[in-house]
Amino acid sequence: MAYDPRPVEPAIYKRWLEAGVFQPRPDGEPYVIVIPPPNVTDVLHVGHALNNVIQDVLIRFERMRGRAAEWLPGTDHAGIATQNVVEKRLAKEGRSRFDLGRERFVEEVWCFVNKTGNTILEQLKVIGSSCDWSRLRFTLDEDYSRAVREVFVRLWDEGLIYRGHRVIHWCPHCLTALSDEEAEHHETQGNLYHIKYPLEDGSGFVTVATTRPETMFGDIGLVFNPKDSRYKALQGKRVKIPLSGVVIPIATDEVVEQGFGTGLLKVTPAHDANDFDIARRVWPASEMPLVIREDGTLGEDGGHGGHGGQKATAAVKNKGGGQGGRVPAEYVGLDRFEARKKIIERLKATDLLEKVEQHKHSVRRCYRCDTVVEPRLSDQWFVTMKPLAETVMAGYAKGEFHIVPERWNATFENWMNNIRDWNISRQLWWGHRIPVFTCANGHQWADRADPQTCPKCAAHVEQDPDVLDTWFSSWLWPFATFGWPDDTPDLRRFYPGHTLVTGPDILFFWVARMLMSGYKFMGQKPFRTVYLHGIARDTKHRKMSKSLGNGIDPLVVVEKFGADALRWTCVANTALGADLLLDPEDLETTFAPGRNFANKLWNIGQFVLGQLPTNVPAIEAVDRRSLTLADRWILSRAQATVRAATAAFEQFRLDEAAKRCFEFAWNELADWYVEAVKPRMTGSEAQTPQAVLAYCLDLSLRLLHPVVPFISEELWQKLPGRKADELLAVARWPVARPELEDPRADQEFGRVKTVIEHIRSIRAEYRVSPKTRLRATIVTRGNDKVTTFDGERDTIVRLAQLDSLALDGVPQGVGAHAVFGDGSEVVVALEGSIDVQQECRRLSDELGRLDTQLRSLAARLTNESFVARAPQEVVAKEREKEKAWRDQRDVLAGKLKSLGCS
RNA sequence: GGGCGAAUAGCUCAGCGGUUCAGAGCGCCUGCCUUACACGCAGGAUGUCGGGGGUUCGAAUCCCUCUUCGCCCACCA
């Protein structure tokens, strides 16, 4: 019967919850991880699974090592994302948020969040996440909101928050401003349109290259590089914007690259950050007309940037007459991309389009809805980031925290050292409302409370309508979750945390900013280690995403293969920081290894448990003299495994730790020890192997528990002597016992394995049925002591399926030979079925292989530089090897001769 | 334009600062339902470690360079 995780996993999880083992023990040194809070509306995808499995492995490892393990869970209100989800639902009913109004809309969102917000948390439980659910947080919790507000007010009072009038990224779909980080770069194949701007004086035209012709109604001038001799004559002249006829000046500016396009640049200050800077240098008094509305259509709606601050001057003369006539009527209301097409057609028709070139460039898109972002002049709240970043970098330089893998250092440093101010206002309704108040008399301040009247003049006050960027609340996660700004016991105990586990995609969004807020408000780092894991991708290396439809539903995987299998794949297939590649087309290949391993463990458990009496002696109570070579070998391997696995976990090499434990359980314990020990399991001699088996199974389960917690717990429960309330989840992590380390046993049992493998190999080579028992003889030489094999004679007989094994006798009749060690031989009697020709070929192939190796070894050893410069122990080892091989070769050669091979 | 990463068996990848490192899983071939396990057991085959150069006694492993992919950053009109 194969192991079925389906009934086991939920039951085990329930037991953990009931026992309260996920809450940190009251004593002991804390180990703290704060979860990257998933969006409340999220449903679990593989990315979450990977992220949370890694955290769970680390937290379970440290919990077993006796730390007070605190894994703080929670969710993020995710302003834009959540608002979008609810708006989409409203849209299905033909309604918009404007129909509801702000208050009712926010109620609607709360309603939705309260109903569906726990979905992902329940899913995290399904995959085994051992979060401290008693400390669950949400970024819109009352306490948490207080922290957000406190931070805002403090920054405001320090003058680190300011109103900026500048070109920001605007999403025409989400209808909000975005930060630089939220506008993702996408390399795009576009066009460079060469457009003719007629000179005002009718003396011809100049050509300007642009990728965004639809912005031209917002042009306030053209510039060329002062060094550009081609255009000297244009200085001071004016041109007409095609299709609108608005007259704009020509000037010079250093930033214009002569080699790009025509060397003439159209300046659209309200829709291009670079042009904004140019305009302020060249035409400081100029108006900056907005010609694309908030929704992405052409027209002049004023909007957030409508009050430009500067008045129109003579530099811009509106030929069409009248205010607001910059965009010709036929384009007003057209979507920007339609407008682009139409404009190009018209330009072509009026012979004002000189040419169109293909042009690859980076287009920014909204990280939430993928809409092409519109640069737009606007008034927004910004945080001055430089001082915050500098504090972090001072701590970073002192090594107060570090990033693994290290290769992210450069990226992190580069971003921090070139930090730009953070646009924190969003034109949304869902989120923390910006606590800035303005009275009728123009007094403005940030407030912890909601004032009704102005403290200075008692006038009526109004609160800023916008909300804060979601990340302005999540950047406080490591301390706001523990009660800050109050000085709580939790905060004192759990700050700073230890390991922050996340993907590199939110290094800037979240990690860097948490560091800044941590240093700023807590006076020190929020965590010691930032562990950046890979990203879940499909086999074509594409990020898994809903839109591509290449995702894998972790719950389907759990249903088909079990949570342990899912976890196994996440852990074993991702080397430190490497991406996790999964094939959505072939779940079997992707997840079967974990399921198979769980099944193997289950069966090892079935066997071992079946052998154990209720009172198994502890391993330390076993008389050392009763240990056989096989016992000593597996016990020694166990110690090596403990050391290797512990070290690997400590270094975040989860894949290595998992694989090492896998090898111990499967390849060493099951494949060799269990098979070797079977004959000893009956009778009075059974006590020792029982103790060894119990010890090895217990050890394997402990070591594997962080990775496959369910099956390990299930089996561990069944070990004899378990008290009813004992749980593996809080059992002690094994420590290597030096007294059980036995390098000699490693070596000697290694020889036993070699002999068995040789015999098996010979059997296969000569196609001897497994049913046929064979007779074999071992002739030892050199260090290959006959006593070694004598002690394990039964093992060899059993595992090589022999009839009898002679030691140091004279091999009878004809047989197949294998040489090993210091020229020792194993001879398998094969009267009748042996083919001398075949045997000759086998042996001479072997001899050939040996000769080749020997030659290269000899070359190395006769190389004086090698002997002189290589480390002594390397040379000594090579010498030993050479001697053994030489002996083997001599024996082989002798055999060939005696067989009469040519 | 700058930075980073990847190129190793048919596939997905290990190989953690050099001398049994040429590996694992899956797939493939040959035998096996050997009373824990066919989600298994045993035995096999497959790679000029992307190309070129260099350092060294010795290089998938370090340095340089080229090619191909991917990612991040940038005021690529």
Side-chain angles (χ1 to χ4, degrees), chain A residues 307-327:
Chain A
H307 38 89
Q310 274 100 13
K311 291 273 174 273
T313 70
V316 177
K317 215 167 27 182
N318 201 329
K319 209 172 187 177
Q323 296 288 84
R326 277 192 149 262
V327 181

Side-chain angles (χ1 to χ4, degrees), chain A residues 617-646:
Chain A
I619 195 67
E620 54 270 18
V622 170
D623 182 354
R624 300 286 294 277
R625 286 163 305 183
S626 73
L627 295 175
T628 64
L629 175 59
D631 295 333
R632 289 189 287 125
W633 171 75
I634 195 68
L635 290 171
S636 183
R637 298 311 302 152
Q639 311 318 311
T641 306
V642 169
R643 288 189 194 283
T646 306

Side-chain angles (χ1 to χ4, degrees), chain A residues 552-832:
Chain A
I552 290 175
D553 182 351
L555 298 183
V556 169
V557 175
V558 169
E559 178 59 25
K560 282 191 166 143
F561 302 91
D564 284 333
L566 170 71
R567 295 170 64 104
W568 179 262
T569 296
C570 285
V571 172
N573 285 359
T574 167
L576 186 68
D579 286 342
L580 175 65
L581 272 87
L582 304 169
D583 188 354
E585 305 295 318
D586 189 358
L587 296 185
E588 181 66 21
T589 299
T590 309
F591 295 102
R595 177 201 57 195
N596 296 353
F597 179 48
N599 189 241
K600 187 72 185 183
L601 270 180
W602 177 255
N603 280 294
I604 294 170
Q606 293 316 108
F607 174 79
V608 173
L609 294 171
Q611 304 300 325
L612 301 183
T614 46
N615 57 336
V616 193
I619 195 67
E620 54 270 18
V622 170
D623 182 354
R624 300 286 294 277
R625 286 163 305 183
S626 73
L627 295 175
T628 64
L629 175 59
D631 295 333
R632 289 189 287 125
W633 171 75
I634 195 68
L635 290 171
S636 183
R637 298 311 302 152
Q639 311 318 311
T641 306
V642 169
R643 288 189 194 283
T646 306
F649 275 129
E650 282 171 346
Q651 292 156 44
F652 302 100
R653 301 301 310 251
L654 309 191
D655 60 323
E656 237 182 68
K659 283 174 186 161
R660 186 65 198 86
C661 298
F662 171 100
E663 278 167 20
F664 175 71
W666 196 322
N667 304 121
E668 296 177 334
L669 181 58
D671 287 349
W672 285 100
Y673 186 71
V674 164
E675 292 308 325
V677 88
K678 275 177 178 172
R680 292 168 62 207
M681 296 316 295
T682 51
S684 57
E685 308 297 304
Q687 261 208 350
T688 297
Q690 281 168 355
V692 175
L693 278 177
Y695 169 79
C696 288
L697 178 59
D698 174 89
L699 184 102
S700 304
L701 297 175
R702 286 175 199 255
L703 293 177
L704 282 161
H705 183 260
V707 182
V708 286
F710 292 106
I711 183 146
S712 54
E713 182 77 78
E714 175 73 6
L715 285 171
W716 199 75
Q717 289 303 321
K718 297 180 167 151
L719 285 172
R722 201 94 294 144
K723 291 190 207 83
D725 58 345
E726 263 188 302
L727 286 165
L728 177 57
V730 283
R732 288 201 48 197
W733 187 255
V735 176
R737 299 164 173 276
E739 74 275 15
L740 293 179
E741 277 166 331
D742 195 337
R744 233 186 72 195
D746 277 349
Q747 210 175 41
E748 291 185 352
F749 196 74
R751 278 197 275 267
V752 172
K753 285 165 67 183
T754 302
V755 165
I756 294 166
E757 280 163 349
H758 276 309
I759 299 171
R760 284 170 172 171
S761 207
I762 286 168
R763 178 191 294 277
E765 180 93 14
Y766 284 102
R767 309 205 170 280
V768 180
S769 153
K771 297 231 165 68
T772 310
R773 301 282 141 174
L774 296 171
R775 284 178 296 114
T777 304
I778 297 174
V779 183
T780 57
R781 298 196 178 87
N783 291 320
D784 307 321
K785 301 223 168 42
V786 67
T787 48
T788 296
F789 302 101
D790 194 22
E792 292 298 319
R793 187 195 297 256
D794 290 347
T795 301
I796 299 168
V797 166
R798 190 185 140 71
L799 297 192
Q801 287 166 295
L802 296 180
D803 183 40
S804 70
L805 176 67
L807 291 172
D808 272 358
V810 181
Q812 309 224 326
V814 246
H817 300 259
V819 181
F820 66 94
D822 294 343
S824 299
E825 291 170 85
V826 52
V827 187
V828 179
L830 284 170
E831 296 90 350

Side-chain angles (χ1 to χ4, degrees), chain A residues 243 341-354 356:
Chain A
L243 309 183
K341 262 187 236 157
K342 194 163 175 192
I343 286 167
I344 291 305
E345 274 165 30
R346 285 306 303 259
L347 289 174
K348 217 183 278 176
T350 52
D351 200 28
L352 288 173
L353 184 67
E354 193 175 281
V356 181

